[in-house]
Amino acid sequence: MEKYSRRSLGNIQSMIQSKTGVDFAVDGQLTGHKTRQAALLAGCLMCFALLCAFGYAKFSDLNGDEAGFASAYQGGGRFEIVVVNDSDRELKLQDKVRVMQWSTGGEVEGDSEKIRMSGLAIEPHSEGIVSIDIAEGYDVEAMKENLQDGDWYYFLLTNNDFVFGQDWMCSFDFEKEAAADVKHRLAGAMEQSAQGQKQDAAEQEYDTGSLIYGDWNWPTVSTEVSAFYGEQENGTHSDHINIAGSAGEEVYAVADGTVVETAFDSAYGNTVVLDLGDGIVVKYGHLEEIKVSAGDEVEQREVIATLGQTGMAAGPNLSFAVTVDGEEADPLAAKF
């Protein structure tokens, strides 16, 4: 027993020394104090390894690309959150949610303990509806009045007390909408994102002369198109392209024009609409920060916003749409 104990402690000593660089030997032997120290550190390492393994096993598949969220306002402070779970794991949300405001980065004044939620478990590779009712804890009318152009609210949902796991943002407004319509748009957005990830990177890149009009400049820093105009593989129609990028990158006016509108849309997030004259109108969506106001005159290559992930966006990207005399047009001319 004595030999076994010493041999085991010697192995622990070697492991700890290799991991930490700490030397526990005193004249070739472990003292009682050093033995306890070695055993304690070994236990800590083991606990840390088990904790990491547990966290990975429970949460690794629940990432932002595999779960989509979109809100449909039902009136009276009630929302139906359409959730698409494309992961291999069941998504179990808690009956805890934070009501946040984009411009402040903080929670909206109210009592989150009075929020009522239901439908919190979403099976793997399925869709579900999470119901959220904020009427008892928040002044909905005041929230409507206090919302300025370019600002928006969002729910922050969690599966583990907002501390260890994945938290999800879901933007919302107070325009009534059927959950079925929201589900259709969300499915289309996630399908477009999936298609963009599967496409070869070389096929996604366009130069600044590839837009519908050759004298336009490219609207973003990145030139990678992640979703295209027209009929999609899932049967939906897209009136815009999506350009992948990094949050906070500059977004430019493609030509001289006038800002017609800045707004928040549940599908396209923060948006800017420019009238370029001759019946040509362009719409920018999923913006992070809007830097212009309605009525402003802008020049070509002027920074009008920053790229973001607002609305129904699976990742940071720019939604870019073009209409000519009120008719949709493919924003792209040809691949290079």
Side-chain angles (χ1 to χ4, degrees), residues 25-98:
V26 178
D27 295 331
Q29 296 183 351
L30 291 171
T31 66
H33 173 71
K34 296 299 184 180
T35 297
R36 289 191 297 273
Q37 189 178 39
L40 178 60
L41 286 174
C44 290
L45 284 173
M46 183 175 295
C47 289
F48 179 74
L50 290 174
L51 184 62
C52 290
F54 170 78
Y56 178 83
K58 186 171 183 179
F59 302 114
S60 61
D61 285 341
L62 299 176
N63 59 58
D65 294 332
E66 295 180 316
F69 296 77
S71 67
Y73 185 53
Q74 306 300 297
R78 295 178 294 106
F79 297 84
E80 290 187 346
I81 309 300
V82 179
V83 183
V84 176
N85 179 11
D86 278 344
S87 76
D88 295 326
R89 299 181 182 275
E90 182 182 26
L91 175 56
K92 293 182 179 180
L93 296 170
Q94 289 179 292
D95 59 347
K96 297 181 179 181
V97 64
R98 292 174 178 171

Side-chain angles (χ1 to χ4, degrees), residues 38-206:
L40 178 60
L41 286 174
C44 290
L45 284 173
M46 183 175 295
C47 289
F48 179 74
L50 290 174
L51 184 62
C52 290
F54 170 78
Y56 178 83
K58 186 171 183 179
F59 302 114
S60 61
D61 285 341
L62 299 176
N63 59 58
D65 294 332
E66 295 180 316
F69 296 77
S71 67
Y73 185 53
Q74 306 300 297
R78 295 178 294 106
F79 297 84
E80 290 187 346
I81 309 300
V82 179
V83 183
V84 176
N85 179 11
D86 278 344
S87 76
D88 295 326
R89 299 181 182 275
E90 182 182 26
L91 175 56
K92 293 182 179 180
L93 296 170
Q94 289 179 292
D95 59 347
K96 297 181 179 181
V97 64
R98 292 174 178 171
V99 182
M100 312 292 290
Q101 187 166 357
W102 178 256
S103 61
T104 65
E107 292 190 54
V108 177
E109 183 177 352
D111 188 352
S112 62
E113 296 297 324
K114 293 183 179 179
I115 295 177
R116 292 182 293 174
M117 302 178 66
S118 61
L120 301 176
I122 313 296
E123 295 295 322
H125 301 288
S126 68
E127 302 171 353
I129 299 290
V130 175
S131 297
I132 299 179
D133 188 343
I134 67 172
E136 293 185 8
Y138 292 81
D139 187 338
V140 174
E141 293 304 317
M143 289 177 64
K144 293 179 184 179
E145 294 176 2
N146 293 336
L147 196 63
Q148 304 297 316
D149 288 345
D151 196 8
W152 51 287
Y153 297 117
Y154 62 95
F155 292 119
L156 190 62
L157 302 105
T158 186
N159 62 357
N160 198 32
D161 297 313
F162 306 101
V163 292
F164 185 67
Q166 179 70 58
D167 297 337
W168 291 271
M169 293 173 57
C170 179
S171 58
F172 68 87
D173 57 29
F174 295 102
E175 296 294 327
K176 292 184 181 180
E177 193 169 9
D181 295 335
V182 171
K183 180 188 293 186
H184 183 72
R185 291 206 309 272
L186 178 60
M190 294 192 69
E191 179 69 20
Q192 287 183 7
S193 177
Q195 289 177 17
Q197 293 173 10
K198 293 177 182 177
Q199 289 171 337
D200 183 80
E203 295 180 354
Q204 296 180 30
E205 294 184 356
Y206 290 78

Side-chain angles (χ1 to χ4, degrees), residues 199-226:
Q199 289 171 337
D200 183 80
E203 295 180 354
Q204 296 180 30
E205 294 184 356
Y206 290 78
D207 65 10
T208 55
S210 65
L211 292 174
I212 184 173
Y213 296 102
D215 59 346
W216 284 6
N217 65 266
W218 194 257
T220 58
V221 175
S222 168
T223 58
E224 294 186 357
V225 177
S226 58

